[in-house]
Amino acid sequence: MLDVGALPKAELHVHIEGTFEPELIFEIAERNRITLPYRNVGELRKAYDFKNLPSFLDVYYAGMNVLQIEQDYYDLTIAYLRRAAEQNVRHAEIFFDPQAHTLRGIAFDTVIEGLRAALRDGERELGVTSSLILCFLRDRSEESAMQTFDSALRNCDRIVAVGLDSAEIGNPPSKFASVFERARAEGFHTVAHAGEEGPPEYVWEALDVLKVSRIDHGVRCMEDAALVERLRRERVPLTVCPLSNVRLKVVPDLAHHSLKRMLDAGLAVTVNSDDPAYFGGYVAENYARSAEALGLTDEHLLALARTSFEASFIDDGERRRLLAEIPAARFEGASAQWPAAGCAQRLA
Ligand code: ADE
Ligand code: ZN
């Protein structure tokens, strides 16, 4: 197997709050004089035994409560970027959940200023380019999402897209039709978690109602042949997160994961880490363990890395430069589908 740690790649599905390692949770809690309901890192890690997505989200939201000031958000983000750089992630499009912070009294600007300062240093010192995807919490109201979007519009540098995450079942994409329409009108790309725990119908809705240009997870599309055909024909990228799907019991184990079947069906699949601090691996571990369990070839791994750049929200010059770093990449295949968007485009 080729060295997946050295393979140049983009990471397109990582929640910054899901990169919060237990050691850093304790360090920041102490700094902010917050007492955690766990005595030490070992005890906290023992809570990382999830039966489904909602049971994970309880622990995930509890962990991020210790984040209070800009420096905390900076430390969280630079720690992720260091790990990413070690695994030759050349470009990262990073989700953040502003409502998980603003709803407990932290200002939107505190969150984004901390994140942005780290992205700048990550680019300068580590050579990892990056942008942000603002996720709306789908188990909250659309009105709350709309208020969040208003805050973001006032301070949106680095935000290239909006997304949709949190508890999927019972919260279909159509609930957020208006805020996504507004985001598109303001020049942002759109993505949505769909078909992780929720049914294939949610993937259809994300495409038809939210008009997303990527589907996050989407693994349940394989239950619907017409949907697979649509995704293949339109070459809609899917940001698949194999270790997450195992830890959240979407699949029983990696050997039963649909990643290889998705590749064989001609889908534009990428591999990502989702919430690496909670799911036992960063992006390279997701590549390596999937390859091992499913018998992926070097060609499969190269295709995954290529698709990660093709599906990135970067301009075409940058895409070509990054694709050129992949051994044996065929540059003619590089797509020009996704021009730069978000603030840069809006302010131009
Ligand atoms: N937020 C963080 N991780 C998530 C996931 N895997 N699905 C939905 N929302 C999330
Ligand atoms: Zn996710």
Side-chain angles (χ1 to χ4, degrees), residues 16-18 20-21 24-38 44 48 56-70 72-73 76 97-107 110-111 137 140 278:
I16 200 60
E17 298 91 344
F20 207 0
E21 291 287 344
L24 190 57
I25 293 181
F26 267 86
E27 190 185 318
I28 293 181
E30 219 161 274
R31 201 160 81 188
N32 291 337
R33 301 185 196 291
I34 293 169
T35 308
L36 293 166
Y38 307 96
L44 175 54
Y48 294 3
F56 156 68
L57 291 169
D58 289 343
V59 178
Y60 167 81
Y61 291 124
M64 68 180 81
N65 280 344
V66 307
L67 297 166
Q68 311 243 304
I69 61 170
E70 205 178 302
D72 302 339
Y73 291 93
L76 171 66
D97 286 335
Q99 288 155 292
H101 311 287
T102 56
L103 291 169
R104 55 186 177 83
I106 311 296
T110 301
V111 179
L137 301 185
R140 301 281 176 166
Y278 292 93

Side-chain angles (χ1 to χ4, degrees), residues 13 15 17-18 53 56-57 60-61 97 137-138 164-168 193 196 217 241 244-245 248 274-275 279:
H13 185 155
H15 301 260
E17 298 91 344
L53 173 59
F56 156 68
L57 291 169
Y60 167 81
Y61 291 124
D97 286 335
L137 301 185
R138 69 200 306 156
L164 191 63
D165 67 0
S166 202
E168 186 179 10
H193 284 54
E196 179 187 14
H217 292 293
C241 308
S244 164
N245 296 150
L248 300 187
D274 205 8
D275 301 285
F279 299 152

Side-chain angles (χ1 to χ4, degrees), residues 71 78 91 93 142 145 155 165 171 202 246 249 310 329:
Q71 183 71 44
I78 201 73
H91 175 72
E93 297 182 357
E142 191 184 42
N155 193 357
D165 67 0
N171 296 296
Y202 284 17
V246 173
K249 303 199 166 36
E310 288 172 2

Side-chain angles (χ1 to χ4, degrees), residues 94-148:
I94 302 173
F95 294 132
F96 73 120
D97 286 335
Q99 288 155 292
H101 311 287
T102 56
L103 291 169
R104 55 186 177 83
I106 311 296
F108 180 88
D109 288 357
T110 301
V111 179
I112 197 153
E113 297 299 340
L115 262 55
R116 240 180 350 229
L119 300 188
R120 273 194 299 269
D121 287 354
E123 223 156 278
R124 230 179 358 230
E125 292 162 24
L126 305 167
V128 181
T129 61
S130 52
S131 57
L132 295 171
I133 301 176
L134 182 163
C135 280
F136 301 119
L137 301 185
R138 69 200 306 156
D139 44 0
R140 301 281 176 166
S141 66
E142 191 184 42
E143 189 189 357
S144 171
M146 209 55 105
Q147 282 167 7
T148 305

Side-chain angles (χ1 to χ4, degrees), residues 169-248:
I169 292 174
N171 296 296
S174 51
K175 181 176 161 188
F176 296 91
S178 302
V179 72
F180 269 66
E181 189 180 343
R182 234 188 113 203
R184 288 196 316 275
E186 292 284 354
F188 293 91
H189 293 292
T190 57
V191 299
H193 284 54
E196 179 187 14
E197 278 193 345
E201 288 72 31
Y202 284 17
V203 179
W204 285 105
E205 269 192 18
L207 295 170
D208 292 333
V209 182
L210 304 186
K211 306 195 190 313
V212 299
S213 43
R214 293 198 304 240
I215 295 286
D216 297 315
H217 292 293
V219 286
R220 287 196 59 193
C221 74
M222 297 306 276
E223 297 166 28
D224 181 338
L227 178 58
V228 171
E229 179 47 24
R230 160 106 184 255
L231 293 165
R232 188 199 62 76
R233 195 178 56 242
E234 295 182 9
R235 202 157 168 78
V236 178
L238 296 135
T239 63
V240 173
C241 308
L243 289 176
S244 164
N245 296 150
V246 173
R247 294 297 283 268
L248 300 187

